[in-house]
Amino acid sequence: MSTSSTQSKRINGRFNSLQSNGHSSRDGSGPRKRIVTHNDAYLYALRVAYLTYLLQPRARRIQHAPPPQPPVQRSSTSINDLMKDFSLIRDNKSTRFPHGFMSELEKRLTGVLMGRERKPEYNDATIKRTFAAFFNAFTEQSFKKRMEKDRRVEDLVLIFFSNATKELQKGKTPGDDSWKLMADRHLALFVRLISLVLKDHDWARDRPELAGRLATLESKLLAHDQDLSSTPTRNGAASGAAAEIVVPLSYEVKDMPLVQVVARIFGLTNTQVQSDINKYKPVWTEKAALQDLKSYQTHLNLDSKKTLRSDDFDLDEAYEIWRKGEAQDLSQMMLAVIQSNPVLAKSTPGSTLPQFHRQTSSPDSADSTYPEALMRMSDHSERSSYVIEQPVDMSTLSLGGQNPETINGEDTAFTFIPPEPRTYYRFIAAESFMHDLNDNSLQPSEATADTPAVKLLSKQSMELLNELGLRWRIPPVSRIILLLDAVREKFIDQEITLETLDAVFNFVKDQPSESKKSHSLVNPLSSDRTKWLLADTALYQQILSSLHEALMRDLYNTMQQCYESKPPSIGPIMYVLEHHIYEDPSFFRSPEELDAFAGALYEGLQQQAHATYKSYLEQHVPQDHGDWEFFHVIELGKAVTALAKKIEKRYKKNPEVMGVNPHSALVETILPLYAEDARDIVTRILELAQAKGEEVPIEDGFQLYAELTDIRHVYGEVLSNVPFPFPIEATLADFVWRWIRMTESAITDWVDQAIKQDQFHVRTDNPQQVPTEEQRHSVSVMDIFSSFNQAIDRVVQLNWDDDLQYAKFMTALAKIVGAGIARYCDVVEQRFSKEMDRLSPEQELAATQTKQEKWIQLAKDTWSNKEKIEPFQFFPESFVKLNNIDFAAQQLDKLEHEVNVDACAAVIQSHAPPVTQRQRKITNYVFTIKIVEAEDLKACDMNGSSDPYVVLGDEYQKRLAKTRIVYRNLNPRWDESVDITTQGPLNIIATVWDWDAMGDHDCVGRASLKLDPSHFGDFMPREYWLDLDSQGRILLRVSMEGERDDIQFYFGKAFRTLKRTERDMTRSITDKLSAYIHHCLSRRTLRNLTSKGITMSTVSNYFNRNRPQQPTQAPSEAEIANALKRLFAYFDDNFAIMNQTLTSTAMIMVMTRLWKEVLVTIEALLVPPLSDKPSQQRQLSQQELDVVFKWLQYLFDFFHAVDEETGEANGVPLDVLRSPKYFDITTLNFFYFEPTDALIRTSERMASATAARQQSQRNRLSAPASLASPAFGGAGGLMGLPSTRRSKSIMLSRNLGTMKKAKEEKWKEAQADPNDDMILRILRMRPEAERYLKDRSRQKERLAAAAAAEMIVRQSLMAGGGRMTGNLPRR
């Protein structure tokens, strides 16, 4: 049966930007620069409304009042004038305070405040109050620090005067100036206190000029120190008279209309608002408003970021027009403030007051383009409290204290203008709009022939928005745009209807009436948009785009109901789109967008047609399949035909909506569905109970398959020429897949339970019994493979008759087996690592020591020539875990043969469709690089070791990863991974560094590798042993994301996991033994053996190692053998434990690894690492060389372990012992004491032979491994040649046979590639060979670079047409 759910998901996925699930919200909103809180918006709106109240025309009344008192005259116009005597000579040291003055002044001030001051004039309470206010500012740390540095008199006097003024002004009425003389008197007392401090400490005699100027300042301040009480007949006025006076402001909310509007909009009571006004009344003053305007004017003149700039306009002409209008508006607004509070003009020290200039109204004025929407309900005099009838020149007005540098630095904070006026205005406009929209007391407008009745912004709200726009200097166009943006958000959030949106557009587009044209010349939305702000243009385009997206989504959702009996109308949506969106010149729609919408709408209609058809199917076709009849098919067809005719009639006048024909979408969908379901219904009538819709148990399905196959067999015998009508395999294959999925979900639990119940002991009945080979693994590995075999056998026993399906079943099971093995290896290796990494008692004690104690202990050990090398004690359980991994590899190999992996892969390959075109080009590749380990690193520390870590970088020296530090180890192991994303081939460089606690870190060596995606097209991980350019090599595991769905791949991956785990565990065991090997086979042991201990001659020979050594008596055979006695005993103890637990295969594997450690240690005794520089290592004497080679022979015999009675070798096989490194060491005996010239000639001959051999190998399809990362310089590594062979791939590691064959080929290739490295290492101990070493190094670099370049070209040609195409090869 056809369903609609799948198709619905597909259509929704393709049109997720236009369609939402349901009708709860419209997705999308504009960006916000700043989050405005409700309280912040309320406070800024309140302060503007309150300022409107302060600046409103004052009422007047007749009142009998006394004549005004004349203002008290001061000796100077300002404190700045009084301080001119100091400021003019501020750089003169004679007028600065002496050092130490500030601390003495602080003590004297403390005495004044505590009442200990001897002078009686300082005991007044008011004086103590002002002095206390100054003392708080004086003791502030930053001020004290500045005063200690500058020691200027004017700074101290001004800060006192500022604090005294603030303190004395408290509680005074605005017209009371009596505090001014009080401030002068207090300042004079403060100056007197300064003079007293100078006199008391005899500083006045050293600074007479400072003392004189202080005395002059005190006299000026006390020039008018008199009784300020006024007489009734002052200035000759005997009595008061009746006069017209200004009615004082009540400062009550009930008298503030706009404040009440703010309260209603933000949902507050008048009491709450009154409290806020009382709280902020000292700050929200006319002076602060005038200060804001003057600061804004200064910012405008300085082209500061606090105002609009030319960059905010598209045209310079538009900016000049705005700037001109802005200057006129600022003049009018500042004069309005001064007219409201004339005291501000008196306190302004300007030469003249603003002058009036009669001008005509200019159409370019910024406020001349107010929309009728914001003006139609108020006349000109009501629009703003700041607009006056005449322009005015305010350029001469100054408030004092304005520092142009501070303003240009944009440190000025406004009182009435918020930080981001546009954001605050938009927030308040949205609040006002929603409040008025939901206000039941607001009556809607009258309906007309074109527009319905709506209610939008009230007259009071528009007055508030007008005041906000004027005060915050928001251009009229910006106000309209911000209002539209707020409405857009409400519409997208479905807080307003489509009718309201249409009304808002009509509201802002409405042309002004004839009576208003004198105040609004043109509608801003239809004005010249080149004069708009760039921000307004962008925001308006965004508004239109967002509304278009929301309307298109609504249209889509409405059209989804077009096949219902009574669908909703799309007329209102289309009207808004056509009249307000598409007709606007700022809106742009590309044909591609319309085509995408049409395609999505068509698919949505198909989905709805599918759902409608499904409802007809449920209506006309019974639910019980047993009741189906052909009659139901006929009735279903009639219903489909009737629906098609009705839709055709419905859309006869307008057959297409946005380029989509609903009738065509319906017909093209339901008719194919009807045809398919008619065929299926007829078929299902004959299938009996095949479609019950219940999940049948898996075993029932298997039993049914067995029965059906038997029936089919009988059917084939009777009707051999007629195909069986029932596709059994196709129908019942789901039961097998369900079984496989169930197995996959349980595999992890199987493994975890098997490990949890395992004690990892050998399986013997008696602990004293020696286990056999079959008893040396534990039960967990047996349990998991028993589970694997049961899962596979259950499918095999079905005798599935479809080879392709059976091969796919086995592939899926192979993947499950691989996942189980990976899980087992991971858990077992974690437990193994925990056992191997445990601390010895000595290490636990050392871990508790402090750093100083560790250094002291190290010094003691160094002085006593002592090395703490403690043998590691192994647990038998650790060896059992290694046995389990080896047993798992054997069982997996057996399982691979039983499943017949190659046959399954061949079947799937034979049914694979042919590749008719190139695979899709991949643009990004993710490589996983695991930094595993390193071997035979160069020793960089004095103790003969290194503290290595690895840094991965690319060819542009960009660091990609860094490993942890492994301390005191020349064979470290890191096992750290990093993911690298690249779009093509990338060269990476691995640099091994030696960490040093002090000084720069030393470079141990470098190697490079090229990551080429074309080489990882099979998504198989690879291992790369990269030779460092100095000495040793490093192992990297590289894989590219992805894997092959192939049974051979899954088995190969499982084998690789087992072998990797086995190798890592073996390495952990040998690492515990290697430290003791290095300790026993050291130069110290050799020196003690040949010199019979440390003597003065030994020390002298150390410093004269290049001189001929005096022959000493050679050690005896017994002494040489006795030197290895401790090492052999250590081996015997550990091998005894291993032999009781490890299998023979694992035992040989551990001993082989230990033999490699022995060879590396012996080699380090004989020659230094490979390098192009001379070495400080001393060449051994003949005596010492003989001892080392005898040690090598003893160790060779020990590891070979030949039984003296039977002659049978029980240890490491000879072919493993005689490795290439072993042969290199034995050849040293032939060259060790050869003359330098002879060694150089031999090296040149071998170099020529190597070059000829490499030239012949360049004709092969792959480069030799030695070119991947040459020993000198790493040129080949820089070219990125891989160093691994095909034997490392998963496909060739799918069983033990292929892995063994690949290992043998690698061994033969290594033995057949001799070189002169050992001779070069001997020459490093010959100072006369320094030049040859450098020449040979450069020669190797050139040869390696040439070979690498040729290989890169060859690979590029093979990759595709002579260039790197970047495509993955086809499988």
Side-chain angles (χ1 to χ4, degrees), residues 755-970:
I755 296 175
K756 183 178 180 181
Q757 299 173 10
D758 192 6
Q759 300 297 324
F760 294 97
H761 294 159
V762 293
R763 294 175 294 106
T764 56
D765 299 332
N766 187 353
Q768 304 300 325
Q769 179 184 352
V770 177
T772 62
E773 285 291 310
E774 291 76 20
Q775 294 175 334
R776 291 176 184 261
H777 53 267
S778 60
V779 297
S780 60
V781 68
M782 300 173 61
D783 292 341
I784 63 170
F785 270 93
S786 176
S787 302
F788 296 161
N789 289 324
Q790 290 178 7
I792 294 175
D793 289 342
R794 191 66 186 93
V795 177
V796 173
Q797 292 170 2
L798 291 175
N799 296 318
W800 201 259
D801 201 23
D802 189 317
D803 292 341
L804 179 60
Q805 287 187 346
Y806 176 79
K808 291 181 179 180
F809 295 158
M810 291 297 106
T811 301
L813 289 172
K815 182 179 181 180
I816 295 172
V817 170
I821 289 176
R823 173 66 178 176
Y824 184 80
C825 290
D826 183 53
V827 177
V828 169
E829 189 174 12
Q830 288 180 8
R831 294 192 175 190
F832 179 87
S833 300
K834 187 176 181 181
E835 296 168 357
M836 299 301 293
D837 295 339
R838 71 184 189 278
L839 298 178
S840 64
E842 293 79 5
Q843 291 173 332
E844 293 177 352
L845 178 62
T848 61
Q849 292 179 339
T850 64
K851 187 175 182 180
Q852 183 178 3
E853 292 173 344
K854 292 179 180 179
W855 276 105
I856 294 174
Q857 186 63 38
L858 179 61
K860 290 180 179 179
D861 294 343
T862 304
W863 178 259
S864 60
N865 203 18
K866 177 182 177 182
E867 288 190 13
K868 288 187 176 180
I869 304 296
E870 299 293 340
F872 185 83
Q873 301 300 323
F874 295 94
F875 289 158
E877 292 82 358
S878 302
F879 297 139
V880 172
K881 294 180 176 66
L882 181 58
N883 292 340
N884 287 355
I885 300 300
D886 180 66
F887 179 80
Q890 298 175 15
Q891 293 298 310
L892 185 63
D893 185 72
K894 180 180 178 181
L895 184 62
E896 190 261 356
H897 288 88
E898 292 176 352
V899 172
N900 199 355
V901 169
D902 294 337
C904 292
V907 170
I908 295 178
Q909 183 65 30
S910 64
H911 289 80
V915 180
T916 58
Q917 56 184 2
R918 294 184 65 88
Q919 293 184 349
R920 179 176 60 89
K921 183 176 181 180
I922 300 177
T923 57
N924 291 309
Y925 308 92
V926 179
F927 287 92
T928 300
I929 302 176
K930 184 175 184 180
I931 306 170
V932 184
E933 61 180 334
E935 291 182 350
D936 192 25
L937 294 182
K938 179 178 67 175
C940 298
D941 295 338
M942 295 177 60
N943 57 7
S945 184
S946 292
D947 305 320
Y949 66 92
V950 179
V951 174
L952 277 186
D954 60 12
E955 53 194 328
Y956 304 104
Q957 299 182 351
K958 177 183 177 182
R959 175 180 288 188
L960 303 176
K962 177 185 176 183
T963 68
R964 71 182 189 280
I965 302 170
V966 180
Y967 296 97
R968 299 189 66 182
N969 200 328
L970 296 180

Side-chain angles (χ1 to χ4, degrees), residues 4 78 86 176 239 294 305 410 515 785 837 1129 1131 1315:
S4 61
S78 67
F86 293 94
D176 188 359
S239 62
K294 196 62 180 178
K305 293 183 179 179
E410 300 185 3
S515 60
F785 270 93
D837 295 339
F1131 282 159
N1315 53 60

Side-chain angles (χ1 to χ4, degrees), residues 1285-1299:
R1285 299 155 181 83
R1286 188 59 178 174
S1287 59
K1288 288 294 183 181
S1289 67
I1290 290 180
M1291 300 301 292
L1292 295 182
S1293 302
R1294 62 181 182 273
N1295 55 49
L1296 295 179
T1298 57
M1299 296 176 70

